[in-house]
């Protein structure tokens, strides 16, 4: 049970003021530190998140963006006398400075940079849902073209770990894949869900880049080559990541949240009603430290301090921002911040001059000081008014009545909290109950709880009616995932007749496996799935881990327990032998992996191999692999039929035109009717191919997730070895070896 002592002064309860949690910042300053230097209006719409700047001849920066109808435009105002033309590149009819690269598929991601270490000029990388194209714009030639079965949702180009050549790393359907400039597949691993964002960052400070991966399961994962070394859980899909400096990086979520991490510690975050379309790191005040530039769906551009989240620059477009990049676009030796909108508007900004910067920084310091002093003055005046009203209360019964109205409470009043598991009933869902109570006869007028990923909007308010006021409030909590969550609690405490209340604040952590209720063994059929491993540690340490990560009625001493999942996932049994062998019984492979990862982290285990058997799940994976083969066969057959139909159409079109030139209208009409029928068959075939491809992607995703789950059952080197060996087994179509690896790890293979 947790207790919190009241603050010594009384404040007027302001629900509006407390609505925003302590970890949310929304500070703004009128300081402007960027100067607009150019504006362009391109006659092409720009797809969001797909903007880059590349020096394709090694000298001149070219703005490059994905546009409609499967095309990528390259804006090159520097060499107007030179025009590119090839089977892939055509000149825009709307703008003489723009060349169009024909991809003939919907573009899903875009990047540029030095790809071949022996060349200075940049290569252009274009990803679609089926392919990756590396293109040499300057020489009008493909560097390579590769099919990627898992698709390309995000792409980053650069050095990863100890891998010597630069890699084009793509994130797709639960998989990560890296290619060198020759198209060789040098890197592959799996991740928890569909990848939405990637960036390279020296996360550990060892001089080598790690890969940061944002995915649809709300997690930011950090990979040191193919080893996952850290994981941060957010509250929505991670849509953007950008390296700032050192181990610091910015992130954006699908719900309008942007923020900054330094390694696994979050510095700050803010949430907006608009979506963050693009984030970029740029040093706009010339202090050697990058600020976080964000482009929003309402057209706003803002720059925030990497330390505090304070807004230090703002501007607006008339339409949604598509991307934020940087480059020396004016070729004057100064790097400009380049912002683009979806309507094709482009603006370039320069940092303010040193003289201007000094004046602006002085103004910023003065404004910060004035704002701080103003807040302190307001708080002191409010506190003084409360003291003055209390001093006028008089004596005797009138004084007590007045004190009650003013919210005066006993000095020893404490706020107590307790967590318990509620198995639920017919009318109530299973939950974790948070009980908040006072230590005397005071009442709780309202409770505000802030928690990430549990409540909609991340906050929850309990405000009992006047007839139901008491000194105890129970709040049911249903965490959707097995992660530890900090509950930031604010409670308004006073007397029954109070009009002013004391605010108690405290933080209580929800254990990771709080949605599992202790039960007796044999109360339900024992799970068929199991994972067995051995540790070299005292059993008391395992018991300590159990007490810290589960909600138990009282501390247990026997390390042999059974739990029931409140989410309906069956039982979880943990059995520990005196020899150090631990058996985790559950039919949920994800849960087994979470238990093993949590215990290994607690015991500081670096390498751990596990024997696992999940017969029901392995049978599902086997059936999925059979479906993958069937979908591949259907895909090949449909592709061959489409090629045959294309040849027939070509021949019939020639015959129809010959008949028209010869005046044989009957034959011409017959051929065009046949062409119409063939075209209809092609359209129907395309729909079948599209559906087949969607089903194939779902199956490949399930296979990748199976490999990732098998890896999460292990720790350290055994984990990486299992993932690599599983992929090799799938490449070689060796299903038996795949399941042998998933069951016993790499030792028996």
């Amino acid at each position: 049970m947790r207790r919190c002592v009241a603050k010594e002064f009384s404040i007027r309860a302001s629900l509006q003021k407390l609505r925003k949690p302590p970890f949310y910042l929304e500070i703004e300053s009128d300081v402007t530190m960027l100067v607009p230097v150019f504006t362009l209006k391109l006659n092409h719409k720009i797809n969001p998140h797909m903007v880059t700047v590349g020096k394709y001849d090694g000298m001149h920066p070219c703005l490059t963006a994905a546009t409609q109808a499967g095309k990528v435009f390259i804006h090159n105002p520097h060499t107007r006398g030179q025009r590119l033309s090839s089977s892939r590149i055509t000149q825009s009819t709307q703008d003489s400075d723009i060349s169009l690269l024909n991809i003939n598929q919907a573009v899903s991601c875009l990047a540029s940079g030095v790809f071949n270490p022996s060349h200075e000029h940049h290569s252009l990388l274009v990803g679609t849902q089926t392919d990756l194209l590396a293109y040499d714009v300057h020489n009008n030639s493909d560097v390579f073209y590769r099919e990627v079965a898992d698709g390309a949702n995000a792409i980053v180009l650069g050095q990863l770990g100890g891998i010597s050549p630069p890699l084009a790393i793509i994130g797709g359907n639960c998989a990560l894949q890296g290619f060198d400039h020759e198209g060789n597949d040098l890197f592959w691993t799996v991740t928890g869900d569909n990848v939405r964002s990637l960036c390279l960052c020296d996360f550990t400070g060892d001089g080598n880049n790690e890969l940061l991966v944002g995915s649809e399961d709300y997690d930011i994962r950090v990979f040191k080559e193919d080893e996952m070394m850290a994981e941060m859980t957010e509250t929505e899909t991670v849509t953007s990541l950008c390296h700032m400096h050192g181990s610091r990086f910015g992130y954006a979520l699908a719900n309008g949240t942007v923020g900054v991490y330094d390694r696994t510690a979050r510095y700050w975050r803010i949430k907006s009603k608009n979506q963050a379309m693009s984030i970029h790191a740029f040093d706009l005040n010339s202090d050697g430290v990058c600020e976080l530039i964000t482009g929003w769906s309402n057209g706003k551009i803002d720059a925030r301090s990497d330390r505090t989240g304070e807004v230090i620059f703002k501007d607006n477009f008339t339409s949604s921002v598509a991307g934020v990049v940087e480059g020396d676009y004016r070729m004057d030796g100064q790097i400009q911040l380049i912002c683009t909108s979806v309507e094709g508007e482009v603006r370039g900004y320069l940092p303010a001059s040193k003289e201007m910067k000094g004046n602006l920084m002085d103004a910023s310091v003065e404004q910060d000081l004035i704002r701080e002093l103003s807040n302190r003055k307001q708080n002191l005046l409010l506190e003084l008014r409360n003291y003055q009203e209390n001093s006028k209360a008089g004596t005797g019964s009138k004084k007590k009545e007045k004190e009650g109205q003013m919210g005066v409470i006993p000095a020893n009043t404490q706020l107590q909290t307790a967590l318990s598991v509620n198995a639920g009933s017919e009318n109530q869902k299973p939950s974790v109950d948070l009980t908040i109570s006072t230590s005397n006869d005071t009442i709780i007028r309202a409770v505000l709880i802030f928690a990430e990923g549990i409540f909609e909007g991340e906050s929850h308010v309990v405000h009992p009616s006047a007839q139901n006021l008491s000194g105890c409030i129970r709040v049911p909590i249903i965490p959707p995932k097995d992660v530890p969550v900090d509950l930031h609690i604010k409670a308004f405490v006073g007397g029954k007749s109070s009009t002013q209340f004391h605010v108690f604040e405290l933080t209580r952590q929800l254990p990771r496996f709080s949605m599992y209720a202790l039960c007796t063994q044999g109360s339900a059929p024992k799970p068929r799935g199991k994972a067995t491993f051995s540790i070299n540690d005292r059993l008391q340490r395992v018991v300590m881990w159990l007490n810290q990560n589960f909600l138990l009625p009282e501390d247990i001493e026997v390390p042999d327990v059974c739990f029931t999942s409140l989410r309906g996932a069956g039982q979880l049994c943990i059995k520990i032998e005196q020899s150090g062998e631990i058996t985790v019984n559950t039919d949920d492979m994800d849960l087994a992996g979470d238990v093993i990862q949590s215990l290994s982290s607690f015991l500081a285990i670096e390498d751990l191999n596990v024997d696992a058997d999940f017969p029901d799940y392995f049978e599902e994976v086997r059936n999925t692999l059979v479906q993958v083969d069937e979908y591949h066969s259907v895909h090949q057959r449909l592709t061959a039929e489409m090629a045959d139909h294309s040849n027939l159409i070509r021949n019939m079109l020639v015959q129809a035109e010959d008949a028209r030139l010869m005046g044989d209208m009957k034959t011409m009409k017959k051929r065009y009717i046949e062409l119409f029928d063939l075209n209809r068959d092609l359209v129907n075939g395309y729909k079948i191919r599209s559906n087949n491809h969607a089903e194939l992607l779902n199956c490949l995703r399930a296979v990748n997730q199976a490999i990732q789950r098998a890896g999460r059952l292990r720790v350290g080197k055994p984990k990486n070895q299992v993932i690599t060996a599983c992929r090799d087994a799938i490449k070689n179509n060796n299903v038996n070896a795949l399941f042998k690896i998933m069951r016993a790890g790499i030792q028996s293979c």
Side-chain angles (χ1 to χ4, degrees), residues 419-424 430-433 477-484 510-520 527 545-554 556 561-574 584-596 598 712:
L419 291 167
S420 59
V421 178
N422 185 345
S431 64
V432 176
D433 286 351
I477 297 173
I478 306 177
K481 298 172 69 176
D482 292 330
V483 292
L510 199 63
R512 179 169 186 170
F513 302 104
S514 56
M515 285 293 284
Y516 297 87
L518 191 65
C519 65
T520 56
W545 168 79
L546 283 168
N547 288 319
Q548 287 186 13
N549 286 272
F550 291 85
L551 279 177
L552 303 171
E554 57 186 21
I556 62 169
V561 290
C562 200
F563 300 91
T564 298
S565 170
L566 301 186
R567 300 190 187 96
Q571 282 197 338
L572 166 66
C573 300
I574 302 174
V584 179
N585 287 95
T586 175
D587 289 325
D588 187 342
M589 200 168 172
D590 283 322
L591 175 58
D594 288 342
V595 169
I596 291 170
S598 175
R712 277 185 60 81

Side-chain angles (χ1 to χ4, degrees), residues 443-445 463-473:
I443 59 101
I444 301 175
R445 189 66 185 89
H463 196 280
S465 61
Q467 296 79 19
N468 296 321
L469 294 177
S470 69
C472 181
I473 288 180

Side-chain angles (χ1 to χ4, degrees), residues 87-366:
S87 58
R88 279 198 186 273
I89 289 186
T90 57
Q91 292 304 130
S92 170
T93 57
Q94 300 169 311
D95 193 328
S96 60
D97 291 335
I98 288 180
S99 302
L100 294 174
L101 177 63
N102 301 302
I103 304 299
N104 299 323
Q105 291 187 65
V107 178
S108 55
C109 55
L110 202 65
S112 64
V114 176
F115 200 12
N116 188 340
S118 61
H119 297 158
E120 293 184 358
H121 62 263
H122 290 186
S123 298
L124 175 63
L125 301 167
V126 183
T128 70
Q129 287 304 312
T130 56
D131 307 288
L132 173 65
L133 169 67
Y135 198 71
D136 184 343
V137 176
H138 183 61
N139 295 313
N140 286 347
S141 62
D142 290 3
V143 178
F144 67 78
Y145 184 81
R146 290 286 180 272
E147 286 191 11
V148 284
D150 298 308
N153 301 329
I155 188 168
V156 66
L157 174 59
Q159 211 81 35
L160 174 62
I163 302 174
S164 55
L167 294 181
I169 303 170
I170 57 172
N173 204 5
C174 304
L176 300 164
Q177 201 166 1
F179 299 91
D180 66 5
H181 66 279
E182 296 178 346
N184 299 316
D185 183 358
L186 299 186
F187 170 75
W188 185 91
T189 190
V190 290
T191 186
D193 207 335
N194 289 337
V195 178
R196 289 288 301 275
S197 53
L198 296 170
C199 86
L200 293 167
C201 168
D202 185 6
F203 188 84
T204 58
D206 62 354
N208 292 322
N209 283 335
E210 282 74 42
L211 178 65
L212 275 59
V213 182
S215 54
E216 292 182 356
D217 61 357
Y218 308 172
D219 284 341
I220 301 173
R221 296 179 175 88
V222 183
F223 287 87
K224 192 173 185 66
E225 295 186 12
D226 56 359
E227 175 187 357
M228 190 179 77
M229 57 180 303
E231 188 174 17
M232 292 77 79
T233 299
E234 277 297 329
T235 59
E236 250 293 351
T237 298
V238 184
T239 56
S240 298
L241 292 166
C242 77
H243 176 227
M244 301 192 70
H245 58 88
S247 58
R248 198 169 299 181
F249 64 92
Y251 73 97
L253 307 181
N255 63 1
T257 298
V258 296
V260 168
Y261 273 94
D262 191 353
R263 293 197 174 102
T264 57
R266 184 167 55 210
Y267 267 34
W268 57 265
R269 65 171 180 162
I270 62 98
K271 189 175 182 182
S272 169
K273 63 182 179 181
N274 302 298
Q275 279 194 327
M277 307 304 291
S278 178
I279 58 175
H280 187 76
F282 187 77
D283 183 10
L284 59 85
N285 54 9
S286 304
D287 63 352
V289 178
C290 289
E291 282 70 41
L292 183 67
I293 316 296
T294 309
W296 299 89
S297 58
N298 65 343
K300 186 173 79 168
I301 296 279
D302 63 36
R304 294 176 183 271
S305 164
D306 72 311
R307 302 176 187 88
T308 64
E310 177 186 3
V311 175
I312 54 181
F313 170 77
K314 294 188 292 186
D315 201 359
N316 285 281
F317 282 87
T318 56
S319 58
S320 172
V321 174
V324 181
V325 291
E326 66 178 63
D328 182 9
Y329 219 59
R330 299 195 306 171
M331 298 292 292
D332 59 0
Q334 293 179 297
I335 301 296
Q336 298 102 43
L337 179 71
I338 303 170
C339 304
T340 63
S341 77
V342 294
E343 295 298 326
E345 184 179 358
V346 182
R347 293 183 196 168
Y349 301 89
L350 273 178
S353 64
K354 290 184 178 180
E355 295 80 9
M356 192 176 191
K357 175 200 162 193
N359 296 332
L360 293 174
M361 292 301 290
D362 292 340
S364 175
V365 171
E366 290 176 3

Side-chain angles (χ1 to χ4, degrees), residues 572-587:
L572 166 66
C573 300
I574 302 174
K575 184 178 181 181
I576 308 173
E577 305 288 350
Q578 291 295 328
S579 61
E581 183 179 273
I582 300 178
T583 303
V584 179
N585 287 95
T586 175
D587 289 325

